[in-house]
Amino acid sequence: MTAMVTLRDVSKTFTGSSGPVHAVDGVTLDVERGDVFGIIGYSGAGKSTLVRLINGLERVTGGQVLIDGQDVTDHSERQLRSVRVGIGFIFQQFNLLNSRTVAGNVGYPLRVAGWPKERREARVAELLEFVGLVDKARQYPDQLSGGQKQRVGIARALATSPQLLLADEATSALDPETTKDVLDLLRRVNLELGVTVVVITHEMSVVSYLCNKVAVMENGKVAEQGSVYDIFSAPQQEVTRRFITSALHDRPRPDVLERLRERHPGRIVTVSVREEAGSGTLLTQQLRAHGVDGSIVYGGITEVDSRPLGSLTLELVGDDTSIDALIADLRVRTDVEEHVRPAASGEGRSR
Amino acid sequence: MNSGSASLWPTFLQAIVETLQMVSVTLLVGGFAGLVIGILLYTTRAGNLLANRPVFTALNVLVNTVRPIPFIIFITAIQPLTVEVTGTSYGTEAVIFPMAIMATFGTSRIVEQNLVALDPGVIEAARAMGAGPLRIILTVIIPEALGPLVLGYTFLFVAITDMSAMAGAVAGGGLGDFALQYGYQRFNPVVTWFTLGVIVVIVQLGQVLGNWLARRVMRR
């Protein structure tokens, strides 16, 4: 099966006033049909440029872009326009036309595509139903809340029944509650309408909630990519670890660890919790088997791609040999990090 | 108007008609041509829809060259061209020609300045939907900037009325010409003041209409 989007070694270099800027630098990735593909990176990583290379709003300076198997790299602007009709795009700032009503905005891409008035009106009604804004059809964008504006944006992007939807920081201007509504809507777009979605974001929570695959970008390059669960549970790159820590908050920071030590005299370890290993049952079994008392002092477990992921930090009380044996047994199945006491190691670093 | 001359009234009414004629034709012709050039200035600017440095630079230099010329001098400077186009070098028609040209360049700058304030995001959105440049100009750029554009044209109306008062220089007629001929030159300040009052009323009416229209367009 051909991929929905294939980027082969694509680059985009802007000629800035202080020399060339390599916004995107040799990115290769495949977005398969039905994927919700997250592209995550800090601001300036090149992700917004990358998504615009997909629909040709920006032209590549190197490499190839294939949409549904069709090479569009050398398409003229006119040829690209018909490609764009089949690709929805939603924006961080919504970019609605203030001179048109909600219905006028949703119907605009249908005008561009040359639909007759009657079909257009029927389709607009259907779309407003889908995003739950039927009663706002005659209102203007400046009368809507941020979440409602983005739902109009999504309805507009879906108007021509595209196979592919590109979302550029679609929830970054929204509050957490509204963000969840919009993410749920995007999930419905993927599941109910079968639309392939590419999500650009700087928030790991968006990726963990919505995506099945992810590419982590830094300095215009993809640092690592793969299934969201694999990347989350075994990050290879520092930038990925930073994103994961910011999303999970499961591991104690050094200052938190300091306070934990003051209250808990026993040995402190952090045990990773993943789908296959280190789950609650395994942990309690092992504690019982080795005759060690364990109390949970810190931790967090979240769901990533519908699977559990996180870690628990425990204080272990018992004789040292039993605890060593317990840790060794746990390490067969999962990662265990012991936070060695500064007095014992003289270093204060955990290993 | 009471300087022993009830006979001034027909001439005065004729002057009002001439002023309205000059202003409306100039507003229509100059306003439209200025809209086109203004949109070209905006869209050909670097990074915009039809980015084209040679075209932008040429238009920019042209507009910057013509605009600062004092209108009274401009009328005389392009007189040969006026004769070529209108067939006459004096009268209302002869003054409408330079007025329309000057208004075109003035309008283009006003239009461009109003468009620069447009959110580029909406244009990008239209591009992402597959809309071409002409469609984007007609269905996104102009409607989105309509409120400020109406206010810009209101400003233009006042400027053109001002310009029309200089028509006296080529016996162009209109209220300005009337005030000079029958007020100033005949040492009759009352006629001058009265004419001035009528010009002020015309300008006020235009301003009120423009503000009302802009408010309606912007719906706020």
Side-chain angles (χ1 to χ4, degrees):
Chain A
M1 200 170 75
T2 51
M4 194 71 232
V5 179
T6 301
L7 301 180
R8 279 192 203 137
D9 196 27
V10 298
S11 298
K12 175 69 180 182
T13 306
F14 293 104
T15 36
S17 49
S18 53
V21 180
H22 304 283
V24 174
D25 193 357
V27 169
T28 295
L29 55 82
D30 280 300
V31 179
E32 303 293 340
R33 264 175 198 286
D35 273 352
V36 181
F37 196 107
I39 296 174
I40 190 169
Y42 292 105
S43 59
K47 53 196 193 304
S48 280
T49 305
L50 183 71
V51 76
R52 283 165 174 74
L53 296 178
I54 295 176
N55 69 351
L57 284 178
E58 296 281 0
R59 307 302 293 264
V60 296
T61 45
Q64 271 183 307
V65 181
L66 280 77
I67 303 294
D68 203 9
Q70 186 191 10
D71 190 338
V72 300
T73 318
D74 297 321
H75 270 29
S76 67
E77 184 69 19
R78 187 181 291 271
Q79 286 173 306
L80 276 175
R81 270 182 237 149
S82 57
V83 174
R84 289 187 195 130
V85 170
I87 302 177
F89 203 113
I90 55 177
F91 302 84
Q92 176 173 5
Q93 296 302 334
F94 325 120
N95 293 347
L96 302 179
L97 302 170
N98 287 314
S99 56
R100 286 171 197 265
T101 60
V102 166
N105 268 280
V106 175
Y108 186 80
L110 300 173
R111 277 175 187 274
V112 173
W115 287 35
K117 191 166 183 275
E118 269 180 29
R119 267 183 74 204
R120 216 163 59 211
E121 282 173 356
R123 178 67 179 151
V124 168
E126 197 177 290
L127 288 157
L128 290 179
E129 176 81 44
F130 182 77
V131 300
L133 288 176
V134 176
D135 55 325
K136 305 285 183 205
R138 300 273 151 250
Q139 298 205 343
Y140 284 88
D142 55 17
Q143 298 168 291
L144 303 179
S145 70
Q148 289 170 335
K149 283 182 192 170
Q150 195 56 292
R151 282 192 278 160
V152 175
I154 293 173
R156 184 176 70 174
L158 294 174
T160 52
S161 307
Q163 295 290 298
L164 175 64
L165 178 64
L166 309 176
D168 184 19
E169 298 275 12
T171 59
S172 299
L174 305 174
D175 61 59
E177 188 69 17
T178 322
T179 293
K180 195 185 161 296
D181 290 345
V182 168
L183 293 181
D184 284 337
L185 180 58
L186 287 176
R187 178 178 280 177
R188 278 177 61 211
V189 168
N190 176 248
L191 294 177
E192 292 176 26
L193 307 179
V195 174
T196 306
V197 185
V198 175
V199 179
I200 302 295
T201 184
H202 65 273
E203 293 167 302
M204 206 62 184
S205 55
V206 169
V207 173
S208 64
Y209 190 75
L210 197 63
C211 302
N212 64 327
K213 288 193 197 148
V214 64
V216 184
M217 279 192 82
E218 193 179 31
N219 299 327
K221 295 185 169 75
V222 170
E224 59 182 309
Q225 57 175 318
S227 89
V228 170
Y229 197 84
D230 290 349
I231 298 285
F232 265 60
S233 55
Q236 302 299 310
Q237 301 293 326
E238 180 55 34
V239 59
T240 317
R241 276 188 214 108
R242 263 159 54 208
F243 274 119
I244 293 168
T245 311
S246 71
L248 296 181
H249 302 292
D250 61 329
R251 284 166 194 271
R253 297 191 313 270
D255 57 317
V256 177
L257 200 57
E258 211 51 52
R259 283 196 291 280
L260 288 176
R261 283 211 185 93
E262 281 167 22
R263 284 199 298 266
H264 304 282
R267 289 166 69 174
I268 294 175
V269 295
T270 296
V271 182
S272 297
V273 177
R274 298 196 193 115
E275 188 181 36
E276 313 83 2
S279 67
T281 341
L282 172 80
L283 196 56
T284 38
Q285 279 170 359
Q286 292 286 338
L287 284 167
R288 207 179 298 133
H290 289 276
V292 172
D293 278 338
S295 47
I296 295 168
V297 294
Y298 200 88
I301 299 171
T302 190
E303 207 181 33
V304 172
D305 195 16
S306 308
R307 291 185 270 176
L309 183 70
S311 69
L312 295 174
T313 298
L314 298 104
E315 179 199 24
L316 302 176
V317 180
D319 62 273
D320 274 347
T321 39
S322 304
I323 293 175
D324 287 340
L326 166 71
I327 291 173
D329 273 0
L330 285 172
R331 280 197 172 137
V332 175
R333 305 285 291 275
T334 185
D335 291 335
V336 180
E337 182 186 17
E338 178 163 11
H339 306 287
V340 181
R341 240 161 233 289
S345 70
E347 276 276 284
R349 295 289 302 151
S350 46
R351 74 176 154 81
Chain B
M1 309 297 279
N2 52 2
S3 63
S5 51
S7 60
L8 268 187
W9 278 108
T11 322
F12 182 70
L13 291 177
Q14 171 70 20
I16 292 181
V17 170
E18 282 165 356
T19 289
L20 292 179
Q21 196 186 346
M22 281 188 276
V23 170
S24 55
V25 173
T26 304
L27 195 60
L28 232 73
V29 176
F32 180 75
L35 183 69
V36 173
I37 295 181
I39 287 172
L40 279 174
L41 272 172
Y42 168 71
T43 50
T44 56
R45 190 181 274 262
N48 283 3
L49 201 57
L50 300 170
N52 186 324
R53 188 189 281 272
V55 173
F56 174 77
T57 310
L59 285 174
N60 203 31
V61 167
L62 186 64
V63 171
N64 282 347
T65 309
V66 176
R67 247 170 39 99
I69 303 174
F71 184 59
I72 193 88
I73 296 170
F74 185 71
I75 295 176
T76 54
I78 67 156
Q79 204 183 31
L81 191 61
T82 307
V83 174
E84 203 63 44
V85 174
T86 64
T88 172
S89 62
Y90 62 95
T92 306
E93 275 159 44
V95 81
I96 287 178
F97 181 70
M99 275 175 81
I101 291 180
M102 202 44 129
T104 298
F105 291 107
T107 315
S108 62
R109 209 43 109 188
I110 293 171
V111 168
E112 184 208 11
Q113 278 162 4
N114 281 319
L115 296 185
V116 166
L118 248 179
D119 174 12
V122 294
I123 294 165
E124 189 182 36
R127 284 186 64 210
M129 288 181 254
L134 187 62
R135 183 191 292 273
I136 291 176
I137 288 168
L138 295 178
T139 64
V140 176
I141 293 178
I142 294 176
E144 288 293 300
L146 200 56
L149 282 179
V150 168
L151 289 178
Y153 275 96
T154 308
F155 176 85
L156 186 75
F157 168 79
V158 177
I160 290 173
T161 311
D162 177 22
M163 248 196 261
S164 76
M166 287 178 222
V170 287
L175 287 168
D177 200 3
F178 180 85
L180 284 177
Q181 268 194 51
Y182 298 96
Y184 181 72
Q185 285 170 4
R186 292 189 184 179
F187 306 102
N188 192 343
V190 179
V191 169
T192 310
W193 293 336
F194 186 79
T195 313
L196 187 72
V198 172
I199 294 177
V200 168
V201 167
I202 291 175
V203 166
Q204 286 293 330
L205 285 177
Q207 186 70 48
V208 167
L209 181 73
N211 287 349
W212 174 79
L213 213 63
R215 247 200 328 277
R216 279 208 53 166
V217 166
M218 292 196 266
R219 295 173 291 94
R220 284 186 189 129

